[in-house]
Amino acid sequence: MGEPKRIGILTSGGDCAGLNAVIRAVVNRAIGDYGWEVLGIKGSTMGLLSRPPNVMPLKLHKVDSLLTQGGTILGTTNKGNPFAFPMPDGSLKDRSEEIIEGYHQLGLEALIGIGGDGSLAILRRIAQQGGIKLIGIPKTIDNDVGYTQLSIGFSTAVDIATEALDRLHFTAASHDRVMVLEVMGRDAGHIALRAGIAGGAHVILIPEIPYNLDLVCQKIRDRQNAGFHFSIVVISEAVCTEEGDTIQKLQQFGECRLGGIGQYVADSISKCTGAETRVTVLGHIQRGGRPSTIDRILASAFGIAAVDLIYHGKEDLMVAWQDSQVISVPIAEAIQDYRTVDPEDTLVKTARGLGICLGN
Ligand code: F6P
């Protein structure tokens, strides 16, 4: 079989900055250099469940201005696992065959799936089942996909969290307060660790390093005794209470999302130090807006590399960033290797070297 003439692309899972920049790069390479057709599949696999499949033919002029746009023009979802799809009567149905049928109806010869570990696992399962040539591109502000040092969206999220810390410093110092910033990241503390270092935090709490509240309070008291009556704490959303419970809220459609540990820690700090505390939950601000310089570059490099893999007849691979190079790794390996912060990581040592309290 010759080289593919029509490929599909979809974005899956939570949105983040840089997705549109990937779409732009894919279209530029596939249409501009190889003369292929590119169909953008709307709403992740939901677009392949529609009849006719819900797609947006992508053209060079359509993607021209996408480099700096947040979100994804294709839409996305982080709900509705096709293998256990929630039906109106409350039952769960395996709808994977419908997705495969939708894909083949479009006459696609390969698919580029941009997603995090969960989405890539689902897409791979569908691809294996349906004979779909899949190339994955890792995206997630959590930066927890294995085998890649960077995923699309992470750098922007870190920049936003760092800027939030910069801003909080002024209010903290003006009011002699302890300001607590809760950031996203699921079970990985990458955003909190990096933003905490870059934003001059005094305490960084991440899920990978169990903390002792007495030590956190001691750090704040030490600063008070040294004449610094304000402190900045950054905390990852999946940090547990001292009893070992995560704090989460039930959302619409029965889904739980992490959130609330910042308030718990702030309350504990004010009890033990007498300091006035305030909490900022940064939330989805971390996902939106213009991609950082690094995300634009990463998105461009990943998009080009993904199309080139298809050109060379490859499949079942994910592009990855290792030591300033784009490489490719089996999707199966990447999704098995959930990447959290190694407590021996050089940045953990950096934080300790700076005197930042990590809670232990
Ligand atoms: O995985 C990305 C992420 O932003 C996590 O950091 C966060 O816990 C979750 O998604 C929030 O999901 P939702 O957009 O469904 O609220």
Side-chain angles (χ1 to χ4, degrees), residues 13-16 78-79 116-117 139-144 183-188 191 237-238 251 255-259 283-284 286-287:
D15 80 322
C16 62
N78 60 1
K79 292 191 290 291
D117 59 336
K139 69 87 220 168
T140 166
I141 65 163
D142 307 335
N143 210 32
D144 52 6
V183 297
M184 283 184 166
R186 285 201 300 169
D187 297 322
I191 296 177
E237 60 181 1
Q251 310 287 340
E255 309 231 328
C256 280
R257 289 291 182 267
L258 294 161
H284 294 83
Q286 292 155 99
R287 296 224 308 243

Side-chain angles (χ1 to χ4, degrees), residues 211 240-246 264:
Y211 67 96
C240 293
T241 64
E242 280 206 297
E243 291 73 40
D245 302 316
T246 48
Y264 167 88

